Amino acid sequence: MQLPEINRRAFIKGAGATVAMVAASRFLVACAGDSTPRGYGGEPRPLPIPPLAEGEREGNRVIYRLTAQEGQSNILPDVTTRTWGFNGDHLGPTLTARKGDEVTVEITNGLGEMTTIHWHGMKLPGIADGGPHSPIEPGETWSPSWTVSNTAATLWYHPHPHGLTGLHAYRGLAGAFVIEDEVSDSLDIPKDYGVDDIPVVLMDHRFHEDGSLDEEDLPDLGLLGDTPTVNGITGAHFDATTRRVRFRLLDGSNMRFFNLAFSDDRPFQVIAGDSGFFAEPLERSSLIIGPGERWEILVDLEPGEDVTLRSVAFPGNFGVPEDEYTPDFGFADSFDLLTITGPAEEAPSTPAIPGVFDPAARQDPDVIDAPERTFVLNTFSINDQMMDMQRVDVVIDHDGPEIWEVTNDNSDWPHNFHIHNARFKVVSMTGTDIEVPVDGWKDTVGLPPGATARLAVEFGYHPDPAWPYMYHCHMLYHEDQGMMGQFVIVEPGGQPADQLGGGSHAHAHHVG
Ligand SMILES: [Cu+2]
């Protein structure tokens, strides 16, 4: 039997006594026989597959309906936990659309409090982006529309209310948003959703003894969990029916980085990053993913074999000092995520993995003479400022790429920098010895302490002076504490509007 809980190596570290004590008490509880929290072990359960929402389609116009609602689910076996979900008890359906589709999503807030829904990785007008300026009050429906211009990729959606993004995502408001196009159509790779094309939503949680979610922010660590989950449960098991499986990996956690590897260190092919396919597949045996990021991988399975997707200790602790003064972000943890059994002997053999995926992904943005901006991240601030909903930090008044140079100025904290309405190539990563995977088009990049990433950023061009986009750390405790800024995209020579956003009643309407 595989225990899903995290095997923590040591609990004498942490920024303050509180962290150490909380961690120590969890460790003791988990090891204390009769008082072991219910459901931390248990038999493996089938990996839940989020339902596929294809929407109501007429030609290339497609409408999805989502309701954010309260529910109850069994994150732990035989334990009921109050959770939030879209159109269900926990998490949300996988939306799927094609490049060129005119998408409308009608989102009804069935919760008792305001939230917003953001389309992470999507290029779209600011008014549809779902950031903190687009509140949906309880009982209201918000209906953004846009034309999908992204290429095939695994994007996702989650709340973005200022100061509450972490809590709302932690309770379960998250889902994948899969984009397909002519390139993905043409590739001979697994694409049968739920059969050999599998979303893998990684999160982590903490629980009270009664099974409810522990929603207390730990000092420095926010809602870092001690119990990993895949698609909403612990101890998930996947019975493969094919010899090759495509996993769409999404780190939907608040604060946890995972260093993914298989239990036998088998190699696998990484075929796509946050914002789409690589030009060529990349063979690896481990892969770092941080909050907000996605990778797609192909893994080959022999009939009947057992293998486990794990998270293992990070080389060099991701550059974070291992001393008693530094918070324990979990980089030394190792734990099982998903047990997998290979297919039956009769499963057909697999074709060769394509040598080329998206040749266009070789092309980098032309950044000769592109404007350059610098962003220095330190604790909860960017360029010495914390988020202000009324302040525009960056004005982009052209349709073209920019160089954003982003530095993690903390010596002992990681950050994970994300830009809305954009994709970027990481031109260079300096100031760190840590090897961070930065291949392909991305929208979120991990920054070990001291690291500087030069990003060649390509934005969606939908000039609108009143509707800002966010850039922020995707470690959600950092974001919620203020590590976020706003940019607007305007016509050449344009200025941001005096009044940002439209207020809840301008763009959401009451139903019923
Ligand atoms: Cu951060």
Side-chain angles (χ1 to χ4, degrees):
M1 183 177 69
Q2 309 273 1
L3 292 179
E5 85 250 34
I6 293 162
N7 299 308
R8 286 185 173 264
R9 174 203 43 162
F11 282 99
I12 48 169
K13 42 189 280 187
T18 317
V19 175
M21 284 174 62
V22 168
S25 67
R26 166 59 68 204
F27 180 76
L28 291 171
V29 165
C31 293
D34 284 351
S35 57
T36 298
R38 287 169 297 166
Y40 273 60
E43 292 301 308
R45 290 178 287 164
L47 176 71
I49 304 294
L52 190 65
E54 291 172 321
E56 290 168 34
R57 181 173 286 275
E58 228 186 275
N60 69 339
R61 298 174 61 93
V62 56
I63 300 177
Y64 309 92
R65 293 187 175 82
L66 294 176
T67 298
Q69 58 194 66
E70 296 174 4
Q72 295 188 333
S73 60
N74 298 108
I75 302 176
L76 304 169
D78 306 319
V79 177
T80 300
T81 301
R82 289 169 60 105
T83 48
W84 285 3
F86 293 102
N87 302 353
D89 288 310
H90 193 203
L91 303 177
T94 297
L95 307 185
T96 181
R98 291 187 63 80
K99 182 182 179 187
D101 279 350
E102 293 177 40
V103 164
T104 299
V105 193
E106 296 182 357
I107 307 143
T108 300
N109 182 354
L111 305 166
E113 61 184 277
M114 180 276 283
T115 192
T116 87
I117 300 302
H118 162 62
W119 318 104
H120 181 125
M122 199 77 74
K123 288 182 174 177
L124 74 187
I127 195 170
D129 188 48
H133 292 278
S134 299
I136 317 169
E137 299 295 339
E140 289 189 331
T141 296
W142 179 60
S143 304
S145 295
W146 70 94
T147 301
V148 175
S149 63
N150 291 67
T151 55
T154 304
L155 312 182
W156 67 300
Y157 59 101
H158 63 78
H160 218 302
H162 184 39
L164 289 166
T165 294
L167 183 61
H168 287 195
Y170 182 79
R171 288 174 174 171
L173 293 184
F177 200 142
V178 169
I179 308 296
E180 305 287 4
D181 65 7
E182 62 285 351
V183 173
S184 63
D185 288 348
S186 73
L187 292 169
D188 188 7
I189 56 173
K191 54 181 77 165
D192 191 354
Y193 182 82
V195 177
D196 60 9
D197 181 353
I198 308 294
V200 175
V201 182
L202 306 170
M203 290 193 178
D204 61 348
H205 292 94
R206 280 177 272 125
F207 297 90
H208 294 299
E209 286 292 305
D210 66 358
S212 61
L213 290 175
D214 181 349
E215 300 183 340
E216 185 191 356
D217 282 329
L218 299 176
D220 303 321
L221 300 171
L223 291 172
L224 181 72
D226 59 12
T227 305
T229 59
V230 179
N231 294 353
I233 67 165
T234 61
H237 178 82
F238 179 66
D239 267 319
T241 55
T242 59
R243 292 174 189 247
R244 179 171 293 151
V245 177
R246 173 187 189 179
F247 290 116
R248 297 177 187 262
L249 307 164
L250 156 63
D251 184 345
S253 77
N254 267 237
M255 293 292 282
R256 182 171 287 279
F257 291 73
F258 300 85
N259 186 20
L260 303 170
F262 288 95
S263 46
D264 58 359
D265 285 322
R266 73 182 53 199
F268 53 88
Q269 304 291 325
V270 190
I271 61 169
D274 297 333
S275 310
F277 288 119
F278 294 168
E280 293 103 15
L282 190 66
E283 185 170 290
R284 299 189 68 102
S285 57
S286 67
L287 185 61
I288 292 171
I289 190 168
E293 290 182 284
R294 289 88 63 211
W295 301 106
E296 293 182 31
I297 66 170
L298 300 181
V299 59
D300 285 348
L301 301 165
E302 293 297 325
E305 71 170 339
D306 292 306
V307 66
T308 301
L309 178 66
R310 314 192 68 224
S311 183
V312 298
F314 283 64
N317 208 47
F318 205 62
V320 174
E322 295 182 87
D323 59 40
E324 62 192 291
Y325 309 106
T326 304
D328 183 354
F329 291 94
F331 292 111
D333 296 339
S334 62
F335 45 85
D336 294 344
L337 286 164
L338 178 66
T339 55
I340 300 165
T341 301
E345 202 67 56
E346 306 83 73
S349 59
T350 50
I353 289 174
V356 176
F357 277 70
D358 184 2
R362 289 195 191 102
Q363 183 120 28
D364 292 337
D366 176 7
V367 289
I368 297 171
D369 299 327
E372 276 195 47
R373 307 179 196 271
T374 58
F375 300 86
V376 177
L377 279 54
N378 195 305
T379 310
F380 300 129
S381 70
I382 300 176
N383 293 343
D384 293 323
Q385 288 190 297
M386 286 162 65
M387 172 68 177
D388 180 342
M389 296 264 295
Q390 309 310 321
R391 185 189 69 234
V392 173
D393 299 279
V394 171
V395 179
I396 296 174
D397 70 347
H398 64 103
D399 180 8
E402 299 199 344
I403 290 281
W404 284 26
E405 189 175 273
V406 187
T407 296
N408 177 358
D409 208 28
N410 283 107
S411 63
D412 55 355
W413 282 20
H415 295 294
N416 220 35
F417 190 76
H418 170 52
I419 309 173
H420 287 206
N421 183 46
R423 63 178 187 172
F424 53 73
K425 291 277 185 76
V426 180
V427 177
S428 66
M429 175 83 75
T430 54
T432 180
D433 296 332
I434 302 298
E435 214 186 296
V436 184
V438 294
D439 306 279
W441 285 107
K442 291 182 65 56
D443 59 43
T444 308
V445 60
L447 295 166
T452 293
R454 272 176 77 80
L455 313 177
V457 191
E458 186 189 271
F459 300 90
Y461 190 65
H462 306 279
D464 186 336
W467 288 91
Y469 301 97
M470 306 296 128
Y471 55 90
H472 59 90
C473 183
H474 218 287
M475 298 176 77
L476 298 180
Y477 184 62
H478 297 178
E479 173 192 331
D480 284 336
Q481 293 293 313
M483 195 169 230
M484 181 155 67
Q486 308 192 91
F487 67 99
V488 295
I489 295 179
V490 295
E491 306 276 359
Q495 291 295 319
D498 292 334
Q499 179 74 41
L500 299 177
S504 62
H505 295 280
H507 296 280
H509 68 272
H510 220 73
V511 289

